[in-house]
Amino acid sequence: MKRTDATARPPRQAFAAAHPPWAQDTTMPLPRTGTPARHDAAGHCSIRAAALFAHRWTEGAVTAALTREGIQIHTFRGAAEWVAAVQTADFDVALIEDHGHQLATCLAMLRFRGTACVPIVAVGSGSAEQFSAALRLGVADYAIAGDAGQALVN
């Protein structure tokens, strides 16, 4: 189908003139939240994560992998504390270990108290049953905590 003059795209030069690089916003929205990313004085992106883990090994592996990438991890010891922080504090993402009934309980608490404004990522061993159950519960993503050589796979 041939485009008419009314539906034709403007040439690249016209777009570049209408949108000069110096006038563009340099903050990048985070996925699903619309919140602009924070940057430190050096210009590095600063992402804050609220985390709840059942096992120390998983906590250590995930924290090490994400802090290497510049993500600040704030670990909470209880489900109620984690849920309150996810709903009220200024976090960009929420991490929760998929262990026993912890994931279902925490997500039920979030639904009962209202929706969370941040994406929730479940961290676990990654069986097909765990993937599907976590997605049915409403997590945004699932990360697999592997062995020491492969700490976190998404």
Side-chain angles (χ1 to χ4, degrees):
M1 180 170 124
K2 188 172 182 175
R3 293 181 183 223
T4 64
D5 289 336
T7 61
R9 291 186 200 165
R12 287 186 185 198
Q13 295 81 10
F15 181 82
H19 301 88
W22 51 264
Q24 294 178 3
D25 186 11
T26 59
T27 60
M28 216 165 46
L30 294 170
R32 303 181 103 190
T33 64
T35 307
R38 289 180 293 276
H39 293 83
D40 61 14
H44 298 103
C45 185
S46 173
I47 297 174
R48 295 181 64 220
L52 178 63
F53 297 104
H55 297 101
R56 296 284 182 194
W57 180 89
T58 307
E59 178 181 347
V62 171
T63 301
L66 295 178
T67 53
R68 276 194 307 268
E69 299 299 320
I71 298 173
Q72 299 172 10
I73 305 294
H74 299 273
T75 305
F76 296 92
R77 295 289 164 218
E81 183 184 11
W82 179 82
V83 167
V86 167
Q87 289 189 316
T88 59
D90 188 24
F91 289 105
D92 301 306
V93 65
L95 303 170
I96 183 168
E97 185 176 356
D98 186 6
H99 174 73
H101 296 288
Q102 176 174 288
L103 178 64
T105 301
C106 288
L107 292 177
M109 290 171 68
L110 280 172
R111 279 193 299 275
F112 179 75
R113 295 179 70 181
T115 59
C117 296
V118 298
I120 298 171
V121 177
V123 179
S125 61
S127 70
E129 293 83 20
Q130 285 178 309
F131 280 159
S132 61
L135 292 173
R136 276 194 310 269
L137 288 170
V139 299
D141 205 350
Y142 199 101
I144 302 170
D147 58 12
Q150 183 180 347
L152 190 65
V153 178
N154 185 356

